[in-house]
Amino acid sequence: MADILPTENNRNKWRACLLCGLIKTSAQFKHDGCDNCEDVLELRGSNKRVSECTSAQFDGVVGLTQPDASWVARWQRCDKFTRGIYAIRVSGRLPEDLIEDMKDRGFNYRPRDGSVKD
């Protein structure tokens, strides 16, 4: 699991994906992209995209080793994602042009900031 954990122990250097909540460092997002959302967000190799599509402001952390078998993962809506460290709530929103592009592709964006209630 070491390959999917943030490489820095200093939580101040962690960032969370605004789409799925996966936590990594900026350098990890730039090098590897987001393990769950790379096809949509295209973070790999772009400092600008990492800055726009991730946030250093998040609340709570949950570690998921078997997301498909976890009630916490279902509750957080990340039971279909890769194992890793996830933020419970992420402050910020994706850029409007990216949200529109996702909508055109049939993907419904649900912010992870707690603003959307079931």
Side-chain angles (χ1 to χ4, degrees):
M1 188 156 166
D3 58 329
I4 56 173
L5 295 176
T7 55
E8 286 281 337
N9 289 330
N10 182 354
R11 186 176 173 188
N12 293 331
K13 297 196 179 206
W14 292 2
R15 296 188 67 84
C17 175
L18 288 170
L19 191 53
C20 72
L22 181 67
I23 296 173
K24 296 174 146 187
T25 64
S26 292
Q28 286 174 296
F29 277 120
K30 183 179 178 191
H31 185 266
D32 303 322
C34 179
D35 298 49
N36 301 306
C37 310
E38 187 59 22
D39 291 344
V40 176
L41 300 181
E42 300 174 348
L43 304 178
R44 191 175 295 123
S46 173
N47 284 327
K48 181 179 184 231
R49 283 297 259 211
V50 169
S51 175
E52 291 176 339
C53 300
T54 66
S55 174
Q57 304 297 314
F58 56 87
D59 298 318
V61 174
V62 62
L64 300 174
T65 57
Q66 295 179 312
D68 58 335
S70 168
W71 71 267
V72 173
R74 282 192 302 278
W75 172 63
Q76 282 300 115
R77 291 185 170 85
C78 44
D79 53 316
K80 306 278 190 278
F81 297 156
T82 186
R83 60 194 182 131
I85 305 294
Y86 289 84
I88 293 176
R89 191 172 20 218
V90 184
S91 297
R93 295 209 174 211
L94 290 173
E96 202 57 43
D97 61 323
L98 184 54
I99 294 171
E100 287 301 317
D101 182 48
M102 290 168 50
K103 214 178 271 183
D104 292 344
R105 294 166 68 182
F107 187 85
N108 185 28
Y109 173 56
R110 183 181 179 94
R112 300 194 77 83
D113 61 4
S115 64
V116 176
K117 305 291 182 203
D118 290 328

